[in-house]
Amino acid sequence: MTQSQYKALSVDDAVTYARTIPDFFAQDADLICEEIGDGNLNLVFRIKDSISGKSLIIKQALPYAKVVGESWPLSLDRARIEREALIIQHSHCPDLVPAVLGGDSELAITVMEDLSQYTIMRKGLIEGNVYPGFAEHIGRFIATTLFFTSDLGMNQQHKKTQAASFSNPDLCKITEDLIFSDPYRNSDNNNFTEDIRNETERLWNDPELHFEVALLREKFLTHGEALIHGDLHTGSIFIREESTKVIDPEFAFYGPMGFDLGAVIANLLLNYASQPGWSSDMKTLEARRDWLLSAIRSVWEQFEYRFRTLWNDECQDPVFNSTGYQDFYIRKLLQDSIGFAGCKVIRRIVGLSHVADIDAIADESLRHQAKITALQIGTALIKGGRSAQSIEEVILAAKTAAEKEGVAI
Ligand code: SR1
Ligand code: MG
């Protein structure tokens, strides 16, 4: 099939395609299909055998951003990038990434394992669930996938070839605009409520903040350290108590490692800021917030432990074992992660694309307060990231913002 034969699948087309996956459904299986995509960019079909219950997912990229419409064209090559990233990530962490069962680059399709027995982590956190295995899982995912796709852990000539094949300009441009530009100026892309206009305009008129954002934007544009997931928020994580699966790496490219860690930290902080809107009493609020802060600490510690172990055992380049270099690198990663986390918090409050943790809070004053708390945390992280020495500085920024909250639950 040539590119011109691309067409958006109907549910019937999805069933027909599902039947071509070798050794999956019986030839005479009665297959039922629903389109379940609720994200910003793609179609997602679940195809299920009505008798055995066996199922798979077909994800298809649309040639434009679904959230905006056809006026925002997007390359279909992101489906290939997502599929190839999933395959690489699954090869490093088979228990943490769904298996790819097939795909077609011209139709912009990836066929993968169905995870319908899992919950999207954002929803689970809003419901007040805690996940004891999460920090180990996500710390290991980030450390392992980044280490083995970086100059530390893979052949450096092969890395250059791989980086070229993961050039992802359209999706990177979304991030460059929505995360590293629009929130800091009066852009038509922004999407904020009038009750936070003063705080938003303060973001537009803060030279110290703009300087730090420029440094982070430069890192995102130029530091091809590893094959990063590129959009590792809690909507890209399927979870249940004992298991975690990372999905949706369509924003994958060779970028700065701290961007993935920052995304996870930011989304735990957004939930932290939102908790007065979801907790029924002060005791519940305190317990949930304590868990979220200890999860942030543990994600960093698990990441650091895994990354250092891989470095000590598997580093491909003897020069990188020079005394002090590993410590220097890890500190820089922590600082980058904190700065990126700050940018990723702020974009979800004033930028185009928001999160349900904040926007779905029913009580107007608690919703307002959650936005203020998030903006305070985000600003503190961006301004403090470059000098940070410990993950405790993130915890302190969150607690400091929470202490200023005025509205009681
Ligand atoms: C137009 S896409 C908006 C956002 O959705 C994705 O999940 C990314 O986070 C992107 O920035
Ligand atoms: Mg996504």
Side-chain angles (χ1 to χ4, degrees):
M1 183 174 286
T2 65
Q3 185 116 20
S4 61
Q5 286 174 282
Y6 170 87
K7 66 163 189 160
L9 298 187
S10 65
V11 289
D12 290 341
D13 296 330
V15 168
T16 304
Y17 194 84
R19 289 192 192 281
T20 69
I21 302 303
D23 305 322
F24 200 85
F25 293 120
Q27 263 189 340
D28 58 351
D30 174 40
L31 299 183
I32 42 180
C33 175
E34 1 165 35
E35 203 278 309
I36 55 168
D38 62 355
N40 290 326
L41 302 178
N42 307 293
L43 298 175
V44 182
F45 300 92
R46 177 184 295 127
I47 298 103
K48 189 170 177 179
D49 182 327
S50 67
I51 307 295
S52 70
K54 197 173 177 193
S55 57
L56 55 70
I57 293 291
I58 297 182
K59 178 169 176 180
Q60 184 179 40
L62 290 165
Y64 53 87
K66 194 170 83 176
V67 66
V68 175
E70 297 191 22
S71 61
W72 188 336
L74 278 185
S75 158
L76 294 173
D77 191 40
R78 71 184 192 275
R80 174 194 65 79
I81 286 177
E82 173 167 358
R83 186 168 61 254
E84 291 180 2
L86 277 173
I87 292 167
I88 290 170
Q89 291 162 350
H90 185 266
S91 76
H92 296 305
C93 300
D95 61 323
L96 300 175
V97 179
V100 170
L101 305 171
D104 181 311
S105 293
E106 283 76 27
L107 276 174
I109 281 174
T110 300
V111 185
M112 66 191 113
E113 189 184 340
D114 182 17
L115 300 171
S116 49
Q117 66 279 39
Y118 289 72
T119 306
I120 284 287
M121 188 173 184
R122 187 179 307 290
K123 183 167 173 284
L125 289 179
I126 288 172
E127 287 167 0
N129 298 318
V130 298
Y131 298 100
F134 172 69
E136 192 280 326
H137 294 153
I138 206 72
R140 175 159 55 87
F141 171 84
I142 298 174
T144 311
T145 58
L146 297 186
F147 180 84
F148 283 117
T149 59
S150 75
D151 287 305
L152 298 164
M154 79 182 285
N155 176 284
Q156 294 170 352
Q157 293 309 104
H158 182 199
K159 183 209 158 202
K160 294 177 182 69
T161 314
Q162 186 156 284
S165 86
F166 280 98
S167 167
N168 198 354
D170 284 13
L171 287 259
C172 284
K173 176 87 167 72
I174 291 177
T175 302
E176 290 149 20
D177 291 348
L178 269 49
I179 300 181
F180 296 114
S181 176
D182 296 329
Y184 306 97
R185 65 195 179 100
N186 186 2
S187 161
D188 287 346
N189 277 340
N190 285 333
N191 169 22
F192 60 90
T193 45
E194 277 307 309
D195 62 317
I196 58 160
R197 173 165 288 279
N198 286 345
E199 291 76 10
T200 302
E201 290 190 358
R202 228 172 276 146
L203 299 176
W204 300 344
N205 294 300
D206 184 338
E208 183 193 346
L209 189 68
H210 292 186
F211 182 77
E212 297 301 330
V213 172
L215 294 176
L216 291 160
R217 179 177 167 89
E218 179 207 329
K219 276 185 202 289
F220 185 83
L221 286 163
T222 63
H223 290 211
E225 294 170 346
L227 180 63
I228 66 170
H229 178 285
D231 196 25
L232 194 44
H233 56 84
T234 45
S236 296
I237 298 170
F238 269 114
I239 199 153
R240 54 186 193 194
E241 202 175 323
E242 76 292 4
S243 175
T244 304
K245 301 274 186 184
V246 178
I247 61 165
D248 264 9
E250 67 194 310
F251 284 73
F253 80 114
Y254 264 79
M257 298 189 187
F259 195 71
D260 281 353
L261 279 157
V264 172
I265 293 168
N267 280 270
L268 294 172
L269 289 170
L270 283 160
N271 190 267
Y272 177 94
S274 80
Q275 272 306 329
W278 299 108
S279 302
S280 53
D281 53 61
M282 289 306 287
K283 198 165 159 239
T284 310
L285 174 64
E286 205 175 309
R288 289 183 182 176
R289 281 187 152 175
D290 282 353
W291 184 80
L292 289 159
L293 295 186
S294 72
I296 290 171
R297 182 184 290 115
S298 302
V299 167
W300 171 260
E301 287 172 353
Q302 290 291 333
F303 166 80
E304 181 178 356
Y305 165 72
R306 288 277 170 187
F307 200 82
R308 283 187 187 273
T309 304
L310 289 168
W311 190 319
N312 294 337
D313 295 348
E314 315 249 9
C315 184
Q316 299 293 306
D317 185 334
V319 177
F320 291 153
N321 288 324
S322 304
T323 305
Y325 181 62
Q326 188 185 110
D327 289 342
F328 174 89
Y329 195 104
I330 296 280
R331 196 176 318 114
K332 179 199 64 152
L333 261 180
L334 173 78
Q335 293 167 348
D336 290 357
S337 304
I338 294 175
F340 286 133
C343 292
K344 294 195 75 114
V345 167
I346 286 180
R347 62 81 56 111
R348 296 294 187 188
I349 306 300
V350 305
L352 175 78
S353 173
H354 289 201
V355 290
D357 313 53
I358 306 280
D359 282 19
I361 295 172
D363 182 283
E364 201 181 328
S365 59
L366 291 177
R367 193 165 64 246
H368 171 77
Q369 179 180 272
K371 292 177 189 178
I372 301 295
T373 300
L375 288 177
Q376 284 173 357
I377 296 173
T379 305
L381 296 189
I382 294 173
K383 290 187 176 178
R386 215 152 41 95
S387 60
Q389 300 297 317
S390 155
I391 193 66
E392 295 309 316
E393 292 173 48
V394 174
I395 316 285
L396 185 62
K399 286 186 171 168
T400 303
E403 276 163 17
K404 292 186 190 146
E405 287 169 352
V407 184
I409 58 174

PDB file of all heavy atoms in Angstrom, residues 231 233 236 248 250-251, ligand 2:
ATOM      1  N   ASP A 231       6.559  11.775  26.338  1.00  0.00           N
ATOM      2  CA  ASP A 231       5.228  12.233  26.790  1.00  0.00           C
ATOM      3  C   ASP A 231       4.771  11.368  27.971  1.00  0.00           C
ATOM      4  O   ASP A 231       3.660  10.848  27.995  1.00  0.00           O
ATOM      5  CB  ASP A 231       4.233  12.127  25.634  1.00  0.00           C
ATOM      6  CG  ASP A 231       2.946  12.928  25.875  1.00  0.00           C
ATOM      7  OD1 ASP A 231       2.999  13.904  26.648  1.00  0.00           O
ATOM      8  OD2 ASP A 231       1.913  12.589  25.278  1.00  0.00           O
ATOM      9  N   HIS A 233       3.428  11.212  30.850  1.00  0.00           N
ATOM     10  CA  HIS A 233       2.513  11.681  31.897  1.00  0.00           C
ATOM     11  C   HIS A 233       1.674  10.497  32.396  1.00  0.00           C
ATOM     12  O   HIS A 233       1.756   9.385  31.853  1.00  0.00           O
ATOM     13  CB  HIS A 233       1.638  12.827  31.380  1.00  0.00           C
ATOM     14  CG  HIS A 233       0.853  12.508  30.140  1.00  0.00           C
ATOM     15  ND1 HIS A 233      -0.343  11.862  30.191  1.00  0.00           N
ATOM     16  CD2 HIS A 233       1.109  12.754  28.822  1.00  0.00           C
ATOM     17  CE1 HIS A 233      -0.816  11.722  28.967  1.00  0.00           C
ATOM     18  NE2 HIS A 233       0.043  12.250  28.106  1.00  0.00           N
ATOM     19  N   SER A 236      -0.207   8.236  30.110  1.00  0.00           N
ATOM     20  CA  SER A 236       0.551   7.294  29.272  1.00  0.00           C
ATOM     21  C   SER A 236       0.972   6.071  30.079  1.00  0.00           C
ATOM     22  O   SER A 236       1.857   5.316  29.654  1.00  0.00           O
ATOM     23  CB  SER A 236       1.815   7.963  28.715  1.00  0.00           C
ATOM     24  OG  SER A 236       1.506   9.031  27.865  1.00  0.00           O
ATOM     25  N   ASP A 248       2.148   4.604  24.556  1.00  0.00           N
ATOM     26  CA  ASP A 248       2.050   5.894  23.840  1.00  0.00           C
ATOM     27  C   ASP A 248       3.347   6.650  23.581  1.00  0.00           C
ATOM     28  O   ASP A 248       3.357   7.893  23.697  1.00  0.00           O
ATOM     29  CB  ASP A 248       1.152   6.848  24.651  1.00  0.00           C
ATOM     30  CG  ASP A 248      -0.284   6.814  24.144  1.00  0.00           C
ATOM     31  OD1 ASP A 248      -0.584   5.955  23.313  1.00  0.00           O
ATOM     32  OD2 ASP A 248      -1.079   7.652  24.593  1.00  0.00           O
ATOM     33  N   GLU A 250       4.617   8.032  21.114  1.00  0.00           N
ATOM     34  CA  GLU A 250       4.649   8.628  19.769  1.00  0.00           C
ATOM     35  C   GLU A 250       5.465   9.918  19.735  1.00  0.00           C
ATOM     36  O   GLU A 250       5.848  10.384  18.662  1.00  0.00           O
ATOM     37  CB  GLU A 250       3.230   8.892  19.255  1.00  0.00           C
ATOM     38  CG  GLU A 250       2.494   9.944  20.022  1.00  0.00           C
ATOM     39  CD  GLU A 250       0.999   9.948  19.718  1.00  0.00           C
ATOM     40  OE1 GLU A 250       0.641   9.962  18.552  1.00  0.00           O
ATOM     41  OE2 GLU A 250       0.210   9.930  20.688  1.00  0.00           O
ATOM     42  N   PHE A 251       5.764  10.504  20.923  1.00  0.00           N
ATOM     43  CA  PHE A 251       6.617  11.695  20.966  1.00  0.00           C
ATOM     44  C   PHE A 251       8.101  11.314  21.113  1.00  0.00           C
ATOM     45  O   PHE A 251       8.942  12.183  21.336  1.00  0.00           O
ATOM     46  CB  PHE A 251       6.217  12.607  22.131  1.00  0.00           C
ATOM     47  CG  PHE A 251       4.964  13.411  21.890  1.00  0.00           C
ATOM     48  CD1 PHE A 251       3.712  12.805  21.895  1.00  0.00           C
ATOM     49  CD2 PHE A 251       5.012  14.771  21.640  1.00  0.00           C
ATOM     50  CE1 PHE A 251       2.546  13.526  21.668  1.00  0.00           C
ATOM     51  CE2 PHE A 251       3.856  15.512  21.425  1.00  0.00           C
ATOM     52  CZ  PHE A 251       2.621  14.882  21.437  1.00  0.00           C
TER      53      PHE A 251
HETATM   54 MG    MG B   2      -0.369  10.281  24.148  1.00  0.00          MG
END
